[in-house]
Amino acid sequence: MQMEPASFPFLSAILLSCVVGMMAIILIPEERQLLIKQVSGVFSGISLLLSLYVFFAFNRSLGGVQFVEHLNWIPSLGISYFNGVDGFSVPNILLTGIVFFTGVLTMWELKTRVKEYFALYFLLVAGVYGLFMSMDLFFIFVWYDVSLFPMYLLIAVWGTTRKEYGAMKLTLYLLAGSALILPAIIFLWAKSGLNTFSFVLLMHPGLFTPSVQKFAFLLLFLGFGILAGVWPLHTWSPDGHVAAPHGVSMVHAGVLMKIGAFGVLRVAIMLCPLGWIYWAKLMAVLAVIGIIYGALVGLRQTDLKYVIGYSSVSHMGVVGLGLSTVTVEGLNGAVFQMFAHGIMTALLFSSVGYIYDRTHTKMIPELGGLSRVVPVASAFFIVAALAGIGLPGLANFWGELVVFLAAFKVYPLFGVIAVVTLVVSALFMLRVVQKAFYGPANPRYAGLQDVTLWLGTPRIILAAVLLILGLYPSLLFNVIRTASVPFMNGLPR
Amino acid sequence: MNWMIAGPEIFYFAASLWFLLLTFTAQPKPAQNGGRRREYLTAIFLASLGILVCLASVHAQGWLFTRGFSVDFFSQVFKTLLSLGLFLIVCICGQINDIEDRRHNEFYFLLFTCTLALMLLVSADHLLSIYVSLELSSYSLYILVALRKKRGQGLEAGIKYFLIGSFASAVMLFGMALLYSSAGTAYLPEMAKVLPGMMASPAVVTGLLFTLGGFFFKLAVFPFHFWAPDTYQGASNQVAAYIATASKVAGIAIILRVVASAGQGSTYLVHVLVILSVVSMTLGNLAAMVQKDMKRLLAFSTVAHSGYVLIGILVLDAAGYSATIFYALALLAMKFTAFMVVVELTPDGRNLQIEELAGLHRRSPLMALALLVALFSLAGIPPTIGFTGKFLIFTAAIQKGYVALVIIAMVNVVISLYYYLLVIKAAYLLEPAEALPPLVVSFPKKLLAGLSIAVIVVAGFFPWWLIQIAQAAAQPLMLGR
Amino acid sequence: MVGSPAHPVDLAALIAATMLPFASFLAILVVTRGRPRLSAWLSIGSVTITLACSIALLALHSGLTTPIGFSADLIGSSGLNIPFGFLLDRLNLLMIVVVSTICFLVQVYSLGYMAGDPGFSRYYAFMSLFTWAMMSLAVSANLLQLYFFWELVGLSSYLLIGFWYEKFSATQAGKKAFVMTRAGDAAFFIGILLLFIHTGDLGIVNLDSRAALAGVPPSFITLSALLIFGGIVGKSAQFPLLTWLPDAMEGPTPVSALLHSATMVAAGVYLFARLFPFFSMSAVAMSVFLAIGTISMLLASTMAMVSRDIKKVWAFSTISQLGFMIMALGAGSYFAGVFHLTTHAGFKALLFLCSGVFIHRFETNDVYELSRLGAKRMLIPMVTMVLGAAALSGLPPLSGYFSKEAVMGSLAGLPNPVWLGAGLAGVFLTAYYSFRLIFILLFPRETAVTIPVGTPSPPPQAAGIPAGAPGAWAMAVPLIVLATITVVLGFFETPLKNFIGAGMLAGGSVGGEALSWTPLAALALALAGVGLAWVEFGRKGARQIGFVDRIPILHRLFAERWYIDRFYGLLVNLVIDRGISRLCYLNDRKVIDGGIDGLCEGAVESGRVMAVLQTGMVQYRLLAIFAVLALLALYFYY
Amino acid sequence: MIAPFRDILLLAATLFALGAFCAVVRRNLIMIVLGIEIMLNAAAIVFVGASLHLNNLDGQTFVLFILAVAATEVSVGLAIIVYAFRRTGSFDPRHFNLLR
């Protein structure tokens, strides 16, 4: 795993842009709401540009870990501020940048307590960025929790339905996850005997005995799995989605669930490959149940956000299935699906947000006939819904294709179940689109004006990304490949 | 024997004498505000002077009173902590209205004597000096608790605190007697050489257990925690703050010293400590979940935190001790900030209910932020000093192989987050029935709040300089053994 | 790899033919949504270029022997070498010409039909999306690329069926169509994955060559062939998944003409022809295809006999004709299937466009209403309708006769006479129901004919389309062109046979040796069908009630589409919706949530108990302390 | 050694148990303090016995200090109890149960 130090510390610059943005927002007086929004727009734009630069400047041929920044932090325990990106984390950083920028724009019409909202929002995204770029186990855990506690306040204060319950449930679930991760990380640190938390050193094959790897993998998989919405532990995510305001649920569903999957990939799989091979069957079973379960329960929902919540559970099941196949395609497909699902869910929530701000209701029976009244806004939702079904021409298709292909090689039965779910998810997504958007023009919402260009930009960006990746997927696959191929070759059989 | 190594003790002895003299001077009948201000200012001046004296003598080495009173880096670090704790408590004693004005001099006198006693306790190396200094600090605390204007609560708390305290000291004394009888000597360094060999005999073990009982009282560990909820609720806010911070830190110091010297060999002791730590953690967290009164909640969280401290102690090696010292520092900072907010919110000194926190974010954003940071640090959420403390303790524990214990501790962290979030929810979410006036916070208080937030967050992010101090402090413990 | 590499001219033509409609789709949606006229001409312009290119390609490569290929590596992921590219051989050339002609004619026709509709530019956007998807599907070199566009065709059919989304029934039909085709696509997708895992390369040319598949076990070939056939069943509305096509008539009539008669549903048959050598490797699969083709052919024709809605009749007839094509291909005659596909595209589009004119003029779908309102007075549509119906039933001079005869020839070649008998019955029924419709239209009855209750009266068409005069020529010209095609195409059978037959790769019998009497028998049955229709509907005194209507049970069976719809409704609502997902939802709410919330309540309760313990009297506490110390001391002894 | 050290330990242990029992059972605050005094004396006895047994004077000095400190403890305790009596008029610990 060769490392290439960064000429200019881009990764810390991204982190800095979030933290400085937060400070700037805190300093602006509460009444200047527009100024706060503009400042947050500017800073999120900067972080997006930086992550775009990192994505395109990432040397595809060299692979390995790039843009490395290393700083000793607590030498006695071997903890170091060690940032770097490889094939797996570059797409996620770009995803965070996009969802962050569009999330800020989506909440442009927020009126209540704007300052605190954006300050906490920046802190949340700083935590997410930190986790994706850090190569030090200690810092992965620190950033994981940093992104956790603003989530509580964001949902509890600005949330919608059942916000206290949703916020408390979400925070306790995620903290229960961290209650499993921390012992595992320290256990690995203690068992390695190298007195270092740096991920690259711990990845040295043969460092841990198989029994250690199995135990640590189980703890890490359950810990991060809670966040990734693995089947039995997923009930917090629909409640969390529904309770959160749109900007937050964009980041929440779009990126936070990816932290869970990324955590499983980065910490659990790369550090304990034998554990991974041992537990792969369990992962596959839980993932497939998640896929079929999310789609089926989605059928029953009458609240738009619940539908999206359960569809995210189903899509994260696809990611889990990809990870559980212990093959190169499985990893490629899973990481691609993480990216595609992130963008799609962000678009879904952003358009629901727009509709909710106008109609003040998320219940599908009350909506209906919107397509005639606000054609462009509903068009965005329909595009996202089609991406959700996995229609070719949009990004999700490639993720699911590669994952199902890998799944077929290893678990043919699970592959069949997963493909059949495509039909069920088509049914429930189109049913939502039909009930909420088609049908006779609804007199109650006659007065709504359609989305203006400025308000539409976040959704246009997201839809464009979905389309570009749909037509030219190797843009992303080449990056992911640089990390998955060397990792899988080095895997002890 | 140069007396200068006992510099801090001498200074605080002089300060308490000064306040004793002040109590004799006849108070002008109408104790107008000026009088109270004067004592407050002198107290602050003396406390800050005390910090300087402690800092000056940080590197003092040596012993006094035929080795009964040893001064090393470990004791000096704790003395500085104690003087810092006293200074902070005195700062928030700006307007104590739940203690009559004419009692203020006694109040400060007792505070300074208690700090003196704790300093003696920290550097006590002989059973006798431990016993004497422990008793001295307990007695001054009993009276401080009973001083409260509201007769009912203060008095009842005082009685309960006294009864359980004296019971615990009796148990400790009996333990010490047994230890002395079997070890043949009362000096801790010699006992350290003799005791590990005799861990098999029941007398030594029960003796050690009973002795630790006395210190567990100070730390409010499981069997001896009964006094904590009532005392915190009954005592005035400032006294409760003092008990939560200073006396807890001293308790940790003396347990470290005794365990480091006496407890090396025995697995039995580790088992006992594990049982006590798990029970006190779980009991503290569970009971705190249903509390309505803010101080009672903080009391139970102290019981829970003593459980975490015990994990650090039962590791019985340098890493564990340095983690516990760091955790003591963290406790001081976190508890003080929490109590500072409680004091700020109740100028008239009444007991703060959690509902009364409603609308705090609007009334004074700084105090709300301070409460938020303190509670998240108490819960152990990463970017705070509390997390680093817990993290160090857990690394030490897992290195010795206590993985199950750490998982139980983490589950307790989850439970504790639940009730901390209830408090934060009250502060940030609930709106008060009638719009309360915005809280006016004087500039020094704002500065103090800002400083404490900075300490908690900065120590959370760059803890390395504090960890070095803790590790250096842990060395003397290991040297003698 | 794929035949001789295409030189730049072919490549440019191909890219223009396929990519231009996509460009116009994006342009219309983004730029010219506001101006309907401009977007209409943009779309028709791109279709004309596509038509020109495909005809040029056909002319250029008429003598082509080996397929021309071009491929680019689009999805560069490690384990997957799935090149995307174009493939040109005789079958493609024919298919792209058929598709582009029909698309061009329908788009011109829609100028008149859709004039004044609020969603006019959106309609043309979706039309060019469909053209792009269909053309790319026809020329795709790789099975996965074919699947890629296969689903896009499904998407455009969903969008076009549900075009008038204010109508609930339209959106319902669109959803039903999409989900049903999606079910078929799922099977197709699994088939592709199996193929990819076992052979490693999805190139169509590779799959067709017997050598490449030598190592693969035959049982596996049958399995993947059946799975891929699942896709064909879904797309071409064959037996299990046929009920979505009649509902798809909710969409505008030009859409039904283009998608649901000539091109989209034909994609399934095209795929069959495309992989014909692969399928023919397993005899078991071929017989299954034959059986399904026959069942759907007979089933659909029975349903057509009772339907009152003019578009639904033609929809059912499309299903049955597709059944014929699949029977022909299943019987091993490659040419018969492809030839029937081409001719059917011609006259079925013609029939739909004529009924479109009637609906456009009289705004009702009901045949009896149309005849009473004087449909027969409109000269051009009536004549072309009769011509189309004649071609459909296989009367001699028209193209239908030749292709039907080729199909019958292939069936005759089979050892088992059952297929031939079914085929002949099908010919008879086809003739009967098509001329039943013609005679109802030609001989209107003043009295409202009472039909036994239960036939679902067709919903009125969206009334928003004024029967404007200016559009008349735009609707008439395509009719005339299509009519000439149906008449002329029949005589091109032999050159087409040489073109298609010769170009065929190794294997595949080209039509068994025709039994002498089958064409005569077929003709006789067709005439008999027409005669019966005349007796029941054409004669002066006839009460225009079909022989089936007299038997209510049979009538209801056919009207209810053999209760397949009801079965699917039951399956979706009861089993999935109310059954499983309700269970899952309850499980979610009660079991998991209940469990964990219960755990938390338990913790809080125990907290309350602990708190109460604290408030005991002082002495109890002392007792407790002492007790604990004693226990710990005792513990030492264990 | 007049009496073997083990007997002294036994005596002290019983005395300690008696003191504890008295502190726990009696319903009068003063009697509780008295019980605790007995426990302190039991400890003093062990100290004296140990110093005799070990022939070193530390035990004796320890006892002197215990007596002094026990005196201060009683004075502080009784002050609070008398103060409580003047306020609530009863010595019964059951009355002091206001804090929930």
Side-chain angles (χ1 to χ4, degrees), chain A residues 383-408:
Chain A
V383 164
L386 294 179
I389 305 169
L391 207 67
L394 294 167
N396 289 50
F397 170 73
W398 297 108
E400 278 163 12
L401 167 80
V402 174
V403 164
F404 291 153
L405 188 77
F408 253 86

Side-chain angles (χ1 to χ4, degrees), chain C residues 501-517:
Chain C
M504 191 48 240
L505 305 178
S509 62
V510 178
E513 75 301 336
L515 292 180
S516 59
W517 56 272

Side-chain angles (χ1 to χ4, degrees), chain C residues 212-246:
Chain C
L213 293 177
V216 181
S219 66
F220 157 74
I221 290 184
T222 322
L223 179 65
S224 60
L226 284 175
L227 281 171
I228 292 177
F229 188 72
I232 296 169
V233 160
K235 192 65 79 180
S236 310
Q238 288 308 296
F239 164 61
L241 302 169
L242 56 91
T243 52
W244 66 270
L245 194 55

Side-chain angles (χ1 to χ4, degrees), chain A residues 169 173 310 372 389 405, chain C residues 74 80 166 182 588 593 596:
Chain A
K169 182 172 185 174
Y173 261 76
Y310 279 110
R372 167 62 62 210
I389 305 169
L405 188 77
Chain C
L74 203 59
L80 304 169
E166 281 89 5
R182 198 66 200 272
D588 215 29
D593 267 3
I596 292 172

